[in-house]
Amino acid sequence: MGKILLAGGAGYIGGHTAVELLEAGYDVVIVDNYSNSSPEAVRRIEEITGKSVTTYELDIKDTDKLENVFKDNDISAVIHFAGLKAVGESVAKPVMYYRNNIDTTLSLLECMSKYGVHNIIFSSSATVYGEENPVPYTEEMKRGTCTNPYGWTKVMMEQILEDASKADAELSVVLLRYFNPIGAHPSGRMGEDPQGIPNNLMPYVSQVAVGRREKLTIFGKDYDTPDGTCRRDYIHVVDLAKGHVKAVDYVFGHKGVEVFNLGTGTPYSVTEIVDTFEKVNGVPVPHVYGERRPGDLPESYANADKALRVLGWKTEKTLADMCRDSWNWQKNNPNGYNK
Ligand code: NAD
Ligand code: UFG
């Protein structure tokens, strides 16, 4: 078997997936431009696994440069993590988001076609279910209306991959719709390292706990949910990474497009996250309640039955594990990979 190309493999989810793939015996190649990550993340992957990783620093939109990776390596499958992912920034800079996220996908598909690589796994998102679908989301639901350009890039890329698969009977496409990844590697050596002010809940909570930010603002407490705050399907990043190993096993024996939700199926509210974090870690997370954040849905959670039935995958870690590992990463690396 050839190597698995991890596009955006130095990032939060790609890095954890690299570790799980290497530990399962797969050979990987990482391609990343470090626009939202750092070479130090690759060093940590090598440290945790004791294996060295072939890495290319390049912009995946640059098809000519990307081609060299396919020329130099025997690639048997691609996992496409590379993308910009900040919802608010995508509203302010839609063209940059469409350019980066769509062009990386097209560039990868062109190289795959030229070099006879037939297998691709794509990092999609629960956001493609949009505003219309009722929770819990199941894979056969139609993609809905997104509230921001980031979400639309995911909808468009799913469509592009479906069209590519219709035109090429050899192609095997797996669309993984992630719910809300949080947590970190239990070693405390790898985790999420957002640049600037975090947009997402768990990095914000951790940075408040470590004293980098004064307090958390909980966005809205008047939603139609049990405690009035939004509920999400938080999934430990290591469980998510293990889902990719199962998807790699699956993608080789399959043709056409298959979609999987990767979530736990159990929603937790913002308040439950804060309470669990404080309790498990014994640290206070000062917080206040503020206005709703535009575009937030009251609830988003998966029906995760298909991944269990078809891939034999389900999550193993608890919310307490997620909070403990996020804090373990944050307190040992208060400034992320910049030490
Ligand atoms: P991340 O930003 O940590 O990782 C993405 C990586 O891609 C980064 O290392 C970045 O430097 C790289 N990259 C971006 N554009 C590139 C380009 N043009 N060329 C080369 N490298 C490029 O994000 P993540 O949280 O690991 O997310 C991975 C994927 O999963 C993304 O596509 C994201 O949209 C998707 N996703 C993430 C979440 C989440 O909450 N983290 C949820 C659903 C889906
Ligand atoms: N939240 C706060 N305060 C904060 C940050 C977040 O109260 O400072 C709340 C949000 O309002 C939301 C919950 O915490 O209710 C989770 O917010 P995140 O930003 O962590 O996650 P989202 O569910 O909004 O977004 C995630 C991914 C996106 C994806 C989206 C829909 O980050 O990539 O799910 O699938 F598009």
Side-chain angles (χ1 to χ4, degrees):
M1 154 135 13
K3 299 177 187 175
I4 315 294
L5 190 157
L6 306 183
Y12 173 50
I13 302 168
H16 285 85
T17 301
V19 167
E20 295 305 319
L21 284 169
L22 288 163
E23 288 182 344
Y26 287 100
D27 205 356
V28 307
V29 177
I30 289 178
V31 182
D32 206 299
N33 65 354
Y34 303 123
S35 57
N36 196 38
S37 54
S38 103
E40 177 63 16
V42 179
R43 222 191 51 68
R44 303 276 178 104
I45 295 167
E46 294 179 324
E47 176 195 301
I48 291 168
T49 61
K51 298 184 179 175
S52 71
V53 178
T54 310
T55 308
Y56 293 81
E57 179 176 356
L58 60 85
D59 190 327
I60 293 166
K61 296 196 292 297
D62 187 337
T63 316
D64 291 341
K65 288 204 179 120
L66 182 64
E67 225 190 291
N68 292 325
V69 181
F70 284 79
K71 216 181 278 171
D72 294 350
N73 297 276
D74 173 23
I75 307 291
S76 55
V78 170
I79 311 185
H80 179 19
F81 301 99
L84 300 173
K85 63 163 184 175
V87 170
E89 187 184 49
S90 81
V91 176
K93 299 177 180 170
V95 176
M96 183 172 100
Y97 269 66
Y98 287 114
R99 168 71 83 193
N100 191 73
N101 292 2
I102 309 279
D103 270 6
T104 50
T105 307
L106 297 176
S107 200
L108 284 163
L109 283 170
E110 280 175 7
C111 287
M112 287 173 62
S113 165
K114 192 159 174 187
Y115 287 85
V117 179
H118 303 303
N119 305 299
I120 181 163
I121 296 166
F122 175 64
S123 299
S124 190
S125 166
T127 198
V128 303
Y129 290 107
E131 296 177 308
E132 301 87 345
N133 286 302
V135 286
Y137 299 135
T138 52
E139 290 86 348
E140 73 280 0
M141 288 173 175
K142 278 196 164 41
R143 290 184 286 258
T145 306
C146 293
T147 55
N148 58 77
Y150 164 75
W152 284 118
T153 70
K154 293 295 179 196
V155 169
M156 289 175 191
M157 291 185 287
E158 286 200 356
Q159 184 67 50
I160 289 167
L161 287 159
E162 283 180 13
D163 291 342
S165 143
K166 278 183 205 142
D168 177 0
E170 285 293 291
L171 203 58
S172 174
V173 176
V174 171
L175 305 177
L176 299 179
R177 293 179 181 160
Y178 309 155
F179 282 73
N180 287 55
I182 59 171
H185 195 266
S187 63
R189 301 293 290 159
M190 272 180 66
E192 190 169 10
D193 182 19
Q195 321 285 308
I197 300 170
N199 302 296
N200 298 115
L201 179 63
M202 187 52 90
Y204 207 104
V205 166
S206 310
Q207 290 193 8
V208 170
V210 86
R212 262 174 82 176
R213 319 244 160 235
E214 189 194 340
K215 59 178 186 301
L216 170 77
T217 301
I218 296 179
F219 298 139
K221 62 170 177 180
D222 58 350
Y223 285 99
D224 185 15
T225 57
D227 67 14
T229 65
C230 294
R231 298 203 302 168
R232 294 288 180 272
D233 187 337
Y234 296 95
I235 172 172
H236 196 294
V237 68
V238 171
D239 276 334
L240 184 65
K242 288 183 172 158
H244 290 73
V245 178
K246 296 286 191 185
V248 167
D249 295 340
Y250 177 84
V251 80
F252 290 118
H254 185 262
K255 298 284 172 237
V257 180
E258 210 61 55
V259 185
F260 297 100
N261 287 338
L262 296 185
T264 65
T266 305
Y268 288 103
S269 72
V270 181
T271 307
E272 285 173 304
I273 297 291
V274 174
D275 289 350
T276 308
F277 191 98
E278 290 184 322
K279 191 162 141 237
V280 166
N281 298 318
V283 284
V285 179
H287 54 275
V288 294
Y289 289 91
E291 295 297 303
R292 291 182 178 198
R293 184 172 66 177
D296 275 350
L297 298 176
E299 296 193 295
S300 163
Y301 58 97
N303 175 317
D305 293 351
K306 184 178 175 191
L308 176 60
R309 195 174 67 248
V310 180
L311 301 178
W313 171 90
K314 67 175 168 51
T315 58
E316 287 165 0
K317 295 187 184 269
T318 63
L319 185 61
D321 296 329
M322 301 182 213
C323 291
R324 190 180 309 109
D325 289 336
S326 288
W327 178 233
N328 187 36
W329 157 252
Q330 181 69 61
K331 73 169 189 273
N332 287 308
N333 307 267
N335 297 309
Y337 292 115
N338 296 324
K339 283 183 283 243

